[in-house]
Amino acid sequence: MPHVLIVDDERDLAELIDFNLRAAGFSTRVAPTGEAALTAAREQRMDLVLLDLMLPDISGVEVCRQLRAAANTRDVLIVMLTAKGEEADRVRGFEVGADDYVTKPFSVRELVLRLKAILRRSSPARDESAPLKLGPLALDISAHRFYVEGKEVILTALEFRLLEHLMARVGRVQSREQLLEEVWGLSSSLETRTIDTHVMRLRDKLGSARAYLETVRGVGYRIVDPNVV
């Protein structure tokens, strides 16, 4: 049973989400403030945090940053929930480690389906798989760790899933629509710019190996070996 922490100071909305998630088979906990969310995360392991950006004490961005900085919560899935729909707000959330973004108002039924898809797609697919390796890149699937030139690089759950998907298909272009459906588990009719933001963040984390993640203009992305002509 997936456990979700709902962080929102709008009591009616939090209760509505809580009721629907429980009806869908989730276990839940509600936190009305950022500090309450951080306390809850320390007390109990969460599979996913549904995090409002605007909170009465500390911002959702700061809560996200602290969750990513703590060893016991750095891998938890974080979905930002906010009334702000501007691109700058989405990018800021992704920059501090959010895995996805939902803008108010929204359909609660669609939200439940979206969270299920995110959890399903982010769960380890092949626990016994051999590590994926290409040049300086090494993705240890069973241990859920990623290395560049032998140094570990911390990825969010969806960044890891995205990289795994691309490294398992070296040289093959993956369209934004394919990635949205196969990595995120979402309809390709939804916003695809979230893919670009995640790829940008992932490329930054590759550092000296950033050339291995290639953009195919007008099509999508692929992992390549730049040393092979």
Side-chain angles (χ1 to χ4, degrees):
M1 180 183 294
H3 189 64
V4 178
L5 174 62
I6 304 164
V7 188
D8 199 310
D9 63 325
E10 293 184 47
R11 182 176 177 181
D12 290 345
L13 178 60
E15 290 180 350
L16 178 63
I17 296 172
D18 181 54
F19 175 82
N20 281 272
L21 287 181
R22 287 181 178 274
F26 293 83
S27 67
T28 60
R29 180 167 174 176
V30 177
T33 67
E35 289 294 348
L38 294 172
T39 298
R42 286 192 293 267
E43 293 176 350
Q44 186 175 7
R45 171 66 184 175
M46 307 292 171
D47 295 295
L48 185 146
V49 178
L50 187 60
L51 179 61
D52 190 22
L53 190 63
M54 303 298 290
L55 296 169
D57 51 353
I58 58 178
S59 71
V61 168
E62 179 59 27
V63 173
C64 183
R65 183 181 289 111
Q66 291 191 37
L67 290 174
R68 286 287 176 248
N72 65 324
T73 56
R74 71 182 187 185
D75 294 327
V76 69
L77 291 167
I78 300 176
V79 177
M80 288 286 194
L81 181 62
T82 179
K84 293 187 175 181
E86 292 81 3
E87 181 180 358
D89 294 309
R90 293 197 298 271
V91 171
R92 189 181 181 199
F94 289 137
E95 284 176 345
V96 295
D99 294 293
D100 205 350
Y101 204 99
V102 177
T103 304
K104 300 176 183 176
F106 54 85
S107 160
V108 176
R109 181 174 180 273
E110 181 179 339
L111 175 66
V112 172
L113 293 174
R114 189 163 183 164
L115 297 189
K116 284 184 175 180
I118 291 169
L119 286 162
R120 182 175 64 251
R121 295 295 180 177
S122 299
S123 61
R126 303 188 302 273
D127 288 342
E128 298 180 0
S129 294
L132 295 173
K133 295 182 179 181
L134 179 66
L137 309 180
L139 195 72
D140 189 335
I141 297 170
S142 61
H144 207 271
R145 290 187 170 184
F146 173 59
Y147 302 87
V148 177
E149 297 180 337
K151 296 182 179 179
E152 185 173 5
V153 176
I154 303 302
L155 302 179
T156 67
L158 275 176
E159 287 170 350
F160 190 94
R161 175 70 178 169
L162 174 61
L163 185 58
E164 179 188 353
H165 183 88
L166 293 171
M167 287 186 67
R169 297 162 178 79
V170 173
R172 293 163 52 187
V173 180
Q174 301 297 298
S175 70
R176 291 172 177 82
E177 290 76 15
Q178 284 177 302
L179 293 173
L180 196 60
E181 290 182 357
E182 297 177 22
V183 178
W184 272 255
L186 303 176
S187 168
S188 60
S189 64
L190 298 177
E191 177 64 61
T192 59
R193 295 197 66 176
T194 182
I195 305 294
D196 300 326
T197 303
H198 274 79
V199 169
M200 178 182 67
R201 284 174 45 80
L202 185 56
R203 184 177 282 127
D204 286 342
K205 291 186 177 183
L206 296 184
S208 60
R210 60 187 295 116
Y212 282 77
L213 180 48
E214 182 179 81
T215 300
V216 181
R217 189 174 298 277
V219 182
Y221 301 96
R222 64 184 171 190
I223 289 287
V224 297
D225 186 343
N227 299 312
V228 176
V229 179

